[in-house]
Amino acid sequence: MKSSALMTIGDVAARFGLATHVLRHWESMGLLSPVRVGGDRRRYGPDDLYRVATILRAKEAGFGLGDIREMIDTPDPAARREVLHRHRSDLARRIDEAQASMDLIDHALDCDHDDFTRCPNFRRAVLRRVGASPHVPRP
């Protein structure tokens, strides 16, 4: 695409595999501001395409649209870093939870008991998750 070429909303949506209503929603949230031409039709330039790609990458990283808008729009690097720190903390928590789930599944797969739900170690792990006493009643 030439640097001066403009694309329609349909072209941009197809390029990124999005529905056009997604681009309209992002515009309504202040994430995009394409130029308008005759008949109030949206036209997207290279900067808009970069912004769409940035939004998609941030969404892939787990950011919500509000945080994305805050990071893109703020001229304050400290505010941007605060959003990143907040997201990083949340991501670290989710990774820890996923790892605990993986450990529990691995234990269940490797368990010598015929019914892993009756395994004392498995039951202790489940009870710790719900905050119950570590004492495991006999099945």
Side-chain angles (χ1 to χ4, degrees), residues 24-33 51 54-56 58-59 63-76 79-80 83 86:
R24 287 187 196 97
H25 176 65
W26 291 354
E27 183 180 353
S28 73
M29 291 195 64
L31 290 164
L32 296 173
S33 51
R51 190 130 176 173
T54 299
I55 294 165
L56 287 171
K59 285 181 62 56
F63 286 92
L65 293 178
D67 284 341
I68 295 169
R69 182 181 56 233
E70 188 176 345
M71 283 190 304
I72 289 175
D73 288 344
T74 185
D76 180 11
R80 188 174 299 117
V83 172
R86 194 171 58 235

Side-chain angles (χ1 to χ4, degrees), residues 112-126:
D112 291 332
H113 288 78
D114 288 337
D115 179 357
F116 70 86
T117 64
R118 297 195 177 274
C119 171
N121 293 328
F122 182 86
R123 292 173 69 88
R124 257 190 295 284
V126 171

Side-chain angles (χ1 to χ4, degrees), residues 43-139:
R43 292 293 184 258
Y44 298 81
D47 290 342
D48 298 307
L49 297 182
Y50 183 84
R51 190 130 176 173
V52 169
T54 299
I55 294 165
L56 287 171
R57 184 62 193 105
K59 285 181 62 56
E60 290 165 1
F63 286 92
L65 293 178
D67 284 341
I68 295 169
R69 182 181 56 233
E70 188 176 345
M71 283 190 304
I72 289 175
D73 288 344
T74 185
D76 180 11
R80 188 174 299 117
R81 290 182 64 78
E82 174 55 34
V83 172
L84 292 168
H85 280 294
R86 194 171 58 235
H87 183 69
R88 187 184 188 293
S89 295
D90 182 56
L91 185 57
R93 179 192 53 76
R94 289 186 287 142
I95 289 170
D96 288 346
E97 290 172 355
Q99 185 60 57
S101 296
M102 183 73 79
D103 292 346
L104 194 62
I105 290 168
D106 287 344
H107 176 78
L109 290 171
D110 295 337
C111 187
D112 291 332
H113 288 78
D114 288 337
D115 179 357
F116 70 86
T117 64
R118 297 195 177 274
C119 171
N121 293 328
F122 182 86
R123 292 173 69 88
R124 257 190 295 284
V126 171
L127 289 171
R128 275 193 308 270
R129 176 64 179 102
V130 296
S133 165
H135 171 70
V136 179
R138 292 237 172 238

